[in-house]
Amino acid sequence: MNDFQYKKNQLYGEKVSLSEIAEAVGTPFYLYSAAALRRHITAYKKAFSSVPHLIAYAMKANANLSVLHLLGKEGAGADIVSVGELYRVLKAGISPEKIVFAGVGKTKDEMRQALRAGILLFNVESEQELIALDEAAKSCGKKASVALRVNPDVDPKTHPYISTGLKKSKFGVAHVHALSLYKLAGRLSHINVAGVHSHIGSQLTQVKPFVDAIRKMGELIQFLRKDGLDIRYWNIGGGLGVQYDQESPPLPSDLAKNILPILKASGCTIIMEPGRSIVANAGILVTRVIYTKATETKKFVVVDAGMNDLIRPSLYEAYHQILPVVKKKRPDHVVDVVGPICESGDFLAQDRTMPEVMPDELLAVMSAGAYGFTMASNYNARPRVPELMVDGDRYAIIRERETHKDLVRGEKIPAFL
Ligand SMILES: *Cc1c(COP(=O)(O)O)cnc(C)c1O
């Protein structure tokens, strides 16, 4: 998190003081560091430079056009999960031959749009989807290149909501069924079997589950090739964790060290789909204290950002470090940092020990660049907050704060009311 640091007790985003930005644009706001984004993508490029590879950034983590544009300039492609994301990523200037399309519920209409755009690969998650894709491809005179998402049944040892590679998961096809489904794929006239895919979960803090999954997938590739299938792409998924609190997740280089020998031996082009590890620690959410209040048993800090702006604490009990934007010598208190939303689940931190804060002071919610703005909603008729990017001593609004007009756009009161 070295792109957000104190200088003389003032917290900065690269070379710009956060107080200065808050003065100019109001609060709350998201701020992303261009230097951090570049550094994170570069770490992947370096780690995997010895194999042909594509970094298909999982844009569901942060889909802002400027973020995509920056990563695209660094050579990244994208992992999309909807045609809405396809629209965004093409608009950001990333070319279709660097796009892979994942998700358990792609409709034929979505498939046709992606085929017409000319994306690289579909990650197919079921037999019905495979057949639908064959039909969709036929109907628009294309051939769809496919990797089946295989469920290697390894426990990623992360939060159950973000575990995706277990037998009980809705994602992918079971390892034992993979072979027969691949055979079917090989027989379909508008399907081109091109690769294998797995993604076992998110916020992984150990290398072992990755290695176990890679071993299993490597064996599968050998089986498939014996069966005459031309496997050229090996998509190893995303999921590398980041430091939110005390965890010390592996770096891309640690991961690469452990799996490169197996990947190289396959001769495949390696696709990876990192999301969180690219953007989480490249972004923060800056919020202002509205009130402080104490009940008989608890102390609360009420801030102007709520669960609609950053839902991770409410949804996953996720931890985000919270720092004062201006450091003062104050005693520590144990507080809940809560938002203005009418829900008890609306908190950014619970039972947090932090220096006492006063109304009007600014707080920075750290590591908020991933699954922050992309999960934001308008609950309680709250306009979504602006997103900004800092690059050295420059910064810009990369998405405007929504207005009240934006909130009712598209709504109509019918004449019969
Ligand atoms: C969400 C997702 C990713 C990205 O996961 P991160 O933990 O953000 O790296 C990659 N691939 C697939 C298929 C996903 O669903």
Side-chain angles (χ1 to χ4, degrees), residues 58 60-61 79 81 102 123 149 197 199 201-203 237-240 273-277 371:
K60 71 176 192 280
D79 165 34
V81 292
N123 295 332
R149 176 167 178 176
H197 174 230
H199 170 73
S202 201
Q203 185 54 14
L240 211 56
E273 305 170 327
R276 186 189 311 274
S277 50
Y371 307 104

Side-chain angles (χ1 to χ4, degrees), residues 124 130 146-150 173 175 177-188 191 193-197 217 220-221 224 227 229 231 233:
V124 169
L130 185 64
V146 159
L148 291 186
R149 176 167 178 176
V150 177
V173 298
H175 199 259
H177 297 141
L179 203 53
S180 63
L181 199 52
Y182 266 104
K183 282 185 184 163
L184 169 64
R187 290 196 299 272
L188 295 172
I191 297 290
V193 176
V196 296
H197 174 230
M217 297 301 287
L220 177 66
I221 291 174
L224 297 175
D227 251 67
L229 291 160
I231 304 296
Y233 293 99

Side-chain angles (χ1 to χ4, degrees), residues 14 70 101 163 303 351:
E14 300 193 22
L70 180 156
F101 191 175
S163 295
V303 298
D351 299 319

Side-chain angles (χ1 to χ4, degrees), residues 396-416:
I397 295 175
I398 55 175
R399 190 183 201 277
E400 299 275 358
R401 188 183 301 283
E402 285 180 343
T403 64
H404 290 155
K405 253 196 183 140
D406 292 330
L407 293 181
V408 294
R409 195 176 59 212
E411 287 184 48
K412 288 188 189 89
I413 300 172
F416 55 76

Side-chain angles (χ1 to χ4, degrees), residues 166-233:
L166 285 164
K167 264 188 200 149
K168 62 182 181 191
S169 159
K170 75 170 177 180
F171 297 102
V173 298
H175 199 259
V176 289
H177 297 141
L179 203 53
S180 63
L181 199 52
Y182 266 104
K183 282 185 184 163
L184 169 64
R187 290 196 299 272
L188 295 172
S189 59
H190 289 73
I191 297 290
N192 164 27
V193 176
V196 296
H197 174 230
S198 66
H199 170 73
I200 55 174
S202 201
Q203 185 54 14
L204 307 193
T205 52
Q206 299 169 23
V207 171
K208 187 168 182 302
F210 265 114
V211 176
D212 292 348
I214 293 294
R215 286 224 176 88
K216 284 195 173 180
M217 297 301 287
E219 286 164 15
L220 177 66
I221 291 174
Q222 289 180 358
F223 272 117
L224 297 175
R225 284 182 172 159
K226 269 190 207 131
D227 251 67
L229 291 160
D230 182 18
I231 304 296
R232 286 154 287 142
Y233 293 99

